Amino acid sequence: MATLGLSEAEREAIERLERDVIQPSMAALVILEFCTQPSPVIEKLAADYAAKGVKRVTIDVAKDKLIAAQFRVQAVPTVYAFYQGQPVADITSYRSEAQLKSVLDQLLTQLKIGDGATTPRHADIEPLMAMGEQILAEGDAPRAASVFRQIREMAPDDLDVAGALARALVAGGEIEEARTILAALPAESADKPAVSRAQAALDLASAAPAADTSALEAKIAANPDDHEARFELAGAKAAAGDRDAAADALLEIIGRDPDWNEGAARKRFLQLLEAQGLADPWTRAQRRRLSALLFT
């Protein structure tokens, strides 16, 4: 961020952001809270998760108006998670301790930070899981589901296996079977990264049927600010497995009106990233696109 022409106080604020947020985020997960009154819940969790690689920074929007403006903060509290100099999640909507713990656990695990790194599985399972994920990434969802089913016979209680199987089933259009698998898991497993990722994929696939989108595209062509039609188009594209088109449509809405429908496009976009996996290269690329819209 350029400092030419800024006051001494503004330069100090920028230096503080670099020192307290950007640099620490190279190795830790930094929770950046824009507020007028810091959240005691976030304060408590930051202390609880400090040993796991979580750091909390608060910015008083009344005092650091320049930084708040750069981040386009329009309401308080606004809370972002930063890692390696980039915002990786908007966690403003997570308010309860249980919700925040869930999202922190997921971020730490998927980004492989501190004690949140994935626990190694049995040697017999690990290579099979890698093979199933590779097959799924290549687009052969039925074959991937078959691999994950075999693994599940070997490790029926492994939540990572259950989540992977559910994602493969969703990708293959077997929505009801995926829903049955996830519904049968213990209630306390819902906040586990593999399960929440699979649930996000299921929710996206259930949001709108894969269908002919020509009518929606015609409506958007006639009125580029028809955000409802564009949002429906994003849902249809996501349901059809076209993540790029879904991301493009959602980012277009965010760029035109980030607060449309109480931030529905941004929420759906983050759900799309969660379904893909927060450490996935595609997700990282999409995060950078979102950052360019929100923070420049």
Side-chain angles (χ1 to χ4, degrees):
M1 185 185 301
T3 60
L4 183 64
L6 298 181
S7 69
E8 184 62 28
E10 289 171 334
R11 279 195 293 271
E12 288 178 359
I14 292 170
E15 290 170 1
R16 229 175 18 253
L17 180 68
E18 176 70 22
R19 182 186 67 242
D20 296 343
V21 178
I22 304 303
Q23 290 302 325
S25 78
M26 294 300 139
L29 184 68
V30 176
I31 306 305
L32 180 59
E33 181 184 8
F34 291 93
C35 59
T36 54
Q37 184 70 36
S39 164
V41 176
I42 295 178
E43 181 179 15
K44 176 182 181 298
L45 285 177
D48 292 345
Y49 277 72
K52 297 182 179 182
V54 174
K55 175 181 171 64
R56 175 217 191 191
V57 176
T58 62
I59 291 184
D60 188 330
V61 296
K63 296 178 180 179
D64 284 330
K65 294 180 180 179
L66 174 68
I67 302 302
Q70 287 292 327
F71 280 84
R72 296 186 180 179
V73 173
Q74 297 181 340
V76 290
T78 293
V79 188
Y80 296 114
F82 265 74
Y83 184 58
Q84 294 186 344
Q86 294 286 335
V88 295
D90 179 346
I91 60 176
T92 304
S93 61
Y94 300 95
R95 298 297 178 87
S96 71
E97 183 173 347
Q99 290 174 328
L100 285 165
K101 285 182 67 175
S102 174
V103 74
L104 286 177
D105 287 339
Q106 179 181 7
L107 288 167
L108 290 170
T109 299
Q110 295 196 3
L111 296 172
K112 302 186 185 302
I113 302 171
D115 293 339
T118 303
T119 302
R121 295 188 192 87
H122 191 280
D124 290 341
I125 296 176
E126 188 65 40
L128 292 174
M129 286 293 291
M131 179 177 69
E133 291 289 0
Q134 179 63 33
I135 293 170
L136 183 57
E138 292 171 353
D140 193 343
R143 185 178 168 215
S146 178
V147 171
F148 291 132
R149 280 195 182 95
Q150 293 178 45
I151 302 173
R152 202 174 189 209
E153 290 179 3
M154 300 168 60
D157 297 325
D158 192 307
L159 294 176
D160 285 356
V161 178
L165 174 57
R167 284 190 291 110
L169 290 168
V170 168
E174 302 294 335
I175 304 299
E176 289 307 316
E177 185 177 353
R179 183 175 286 112
T180 298
I181 288 173
L182 293 176
L185 296 177
E188 60 270 20
S189 70
D191 62 348
K192 299 301 180 183
V195 178
S196 62
R197 181 183 176 187
Q199 187 64 54
L202 177 62
D203 291 344
L204 282 171
S206 304
D212 181 10
T213 59
S214 57
L216 290 172
E217 290 165 351
K219 290 178 69 175
I220 295 167
N223 178 13
D225 287 323
D226 188 341
H227 301 323
E228 186 65 43
R230 200 182 296 274
F231 191 74
E232 290 182 28
L233 177 65
K237 294 296 185 182
D242 190 347
R243 63 184 185 181
D244 290 324
D248 288 347
L250 293 170
L251 286 171
E252 184 68 23
I253 296 172
I254 295 169
R256 289 173 177 271
D257 184 357
D259 297 320
W260 173 78
N261 196 15
E262 299 182 345
R266 184 164 60 176
K267 292 174 185 176
R268 181 60 57 82
F269 183 80
L270 294 174
Q271 188 178 49
L272 184 67
L273 301 193
E274 181 180 21
Q276 185 63 31
L278 297 180
D280 187 273
W282 181 86
T283 298
R284 290 198 294 268
Q286 298 305 315
R287 273 203 316 264
R288 288 192 291 270
R289 295 179 67 195
L290 179 62
S291 299
L293 281 176
L294 295 178
F295 307 131
T296 58

